[in-house]
Amino acid sequence: MNFEIMLHAGISTGTILLIAAIGEIFAERSGVMNLGVEGMMLLGAMAAFKTAYNTGNVWLALLAAVLAGGVLSLAHALVTIHFQADQTVSGLSLTFLGTGLALVLGEGMTGLNAPTVPNFTLPLLSQIPFIGRVFFTDQNLFVYFGYLLAPLAWYYIYKTKPGLHLRAVGEKPAAADTLGVSVYGVRYLYTFIGGCFAGLSGACISVAITPGWYSNLTTSGQGWIAVALVIFAQWNPMRAMLGGYLFGFLRRLLLDLQGPAMLLGLRNPFFYDHNLVFFLQMLPYVLTVMALVWGSSSARRKRIGAPAALGEPYIRGERGL
Amino acid sequence: MRLQIVKRSEDPPKWLPIATSLGAVVLAFVISGGILAAVGADPLQIYRYFFRSAFGSWGAFSDVMVKATPLILIGLGCALAFRMKLWNIGAEGQFYIGAFFSSMVVMVPLVDVNTTPPIVTIGLMMLLGILGGALYGFIPGLLKAKFGINEIITTLMLNYVAVFWNNYWIFGRWSDAGFQMTPTFPRRVWLPRLADLAKQNPFFSGMTLHVGVIFGLIVAVVLWYIINKSRWGYKINLIGDNPKAARYAGIDIAKNIILVFMFSGALAGLAGMTEVSGVVHRLQERISTSYGFSGVIVAWLAKLDPFAVVLVSILFGALLVAGREIQPSGVSFLIQGTILFLVISSDVLMRYQIRLVNTKKASVEEAA
């Protein structure tokens, strides 16, 4: 157990959650909750892996993943925005649909090898003691992308005019409408962007950070954890970044706990009774629930809530928000 | 002539929900067939195989009903929760915990299985299955009622926890000689099956349908009564349709959230018990082929009507039976997802009407 290695790995796996969560933040900020993230992630992972395997071009694979997630999210946008269907059920159905599609199209891909997105070390920055070795040495391209994505998303949402429109549509669509902002247009755009990021985070799994296609075990619920992370992050990309890395770190910690025979000078129970490991495997999911409890009560204290119009269809001319 | 979409001013006709549900199923098969054809499979052959392996003989149909049994129970629980707009996606976990609790009777053991009358043991297993499911439904219910935490995420996370919890017991403590399952339970604690009648009537030989399906039918009637005739059902519908009005009427919403969650969990727990005692006769890995998720779709496709849940469960039972052997393995997921997606998109027809309007006549009317 080496703290530096664990942090390094935590940031790397946390990047998967970070990308999906930031996509979902965009969608939810516009008032559309997309619970199809898990399905879009899996479909993205499959699309990326299959494209990389067949063409040998990993950049094309990323494009395929982004499109796969994006197209699926457009279906969600259509039925929730135009048809005013329930966002919860629509998202859920797309998780099924995405999973089914990914399994059918990914049939026979298990265990194959495909080209991957490279890892590299940043010159200069990697020379900084400790930080350099954790953040800037032998990390995946996606990880560096994550470092840029979170602050940029934060700046976009809070400091730019389109960001203001985005927040207005999610908080008070009727007011945004009177100001000439197209509520439907904004919602379509950010639902699509959210889907694209979900697809990309799938590619981040299958062709970058933990390469390979293992049918539905490829994502194993990380899409749902990303959705939970959004609530924990109180719809703030910087907090999502922190939360993603924290989660990645915890996952790695749980893995490392199984190795040594002695822990903190005591007999390591996980080493001697391997079945106790099931309790370790539960922990990420239990921690997600606990993070939600903590996140929601702290949000309540600080009076930060979900975007006011989250989950509500907007119908021009009807009373509502 | 042009198409015009107008908001309905009155309730949609009675036949419309049935027509949209049926339409969704048919269209889902067509779309999935298109996808299958695109990946190079022969959809017609797959569907023919589907139909034959589900309805080709009485034995096959008995298998379908066996698969339909947990779906009926879970679908009914979901239907009740969804009426209150409580999205219990945790039936999968509640099913596993129900299965675990009822297995405790034999594995701990809580009673001496060989001397206790079977009806007592089986009754106790049912009771514990129900209790386990209800307790596991209590957690997300409480979190939702007290902290307003999104129940979809909590129930989904708890699904994973339940599977690992079961694994701990079947891989370790209760493992049968190192296999990932408990030893087979003694015949005395099995739910009676049609095959038990084979001695009197050879027609029933090999039919695995067990009495669990009757539990499902009874619960359907009870739930129909609760929803349509009881005061509690009225409250649940009111909270679902108009929470503000419910609050003004003095209904304790938090209490009902917890109660409905426990009820929904209890039914999933009972389904877990019937699967353990009626089908696999032990606790093992993957006792559920994602019944919990199919139950969600069943409830929605049945438009939350208890009797429709029974019918839709049979259709989905057929999907599961046929899907067992079919390649590629994601087909039944694909069809289920497409069905659910089409059903919710078709809901727009409940609120809007699509009319053919004679433009000439309309403009004359406008002028007048």
Side-chain angles (χ1 to χ4, degrees), chain A residues 35 79 83-84 86 88 90 92-93 96-97 105 107 221 224 227-228 275 278-279 281-282 285 293 300 318, chain B residues 7 39 87 89 147 149 152-153 156 160 164-165 168 171-172 293 327-328 338 340-341 344-345 351-352:
Chain A
L35 293 181
V79 299
F83 295 175
Q84 294 138 31
D86 191 285
T88 307
S90 168
L92 199 61
S93 80
F96 283 110
L97 197 62
L105 298 174
E107 181 81 2
W224 293 108
V227 175
N275 287 313
F278 288 120
F279 288 98
Q281 287 177 321
M282 277 177 206
Y285 305 102
V293 176
R300 210 177 280 186
E318 268 192 14
Chain B
K7 203 160 173 66
V39 296
W87 309 114
I89 318 300
F147 302 100
I149 290 171
I152 301 174
I153 299 167
L156 268 160
Y160 290 98
F164 289 126
W165 171 259
Y168 171 70
F171 279 72
F293 299 110
Q327 293 295 326
T338 317
L340 183 61
F341 183 73
I344 54 157
S345 356
R351 291 186 301 269
Y352 291 87

Side-chain angles (χ1 to χ4, degrees), chain A residues 202-221:
Chain A
C204 184
I205 300 177
S206 68
V207 297
I209 286 169
T210 48
W213 172 251
Y214 311 97
S215 65
N216 52 351
L217 293 177
T218 313
T219 51
S220 61

Side-chain angles (χ1 to χ4, degrees), chain B residues 293-313:
Chain B
F293 299 110
S294 301
V296 171
I297 303 176
V298 164
W300 206 257
L301 191 53
K303 308 273 180 201
L304 313 185
D305 177 273
F307 295 124
V309 164
V310 175
L311 289 179
V312 175
S313 295

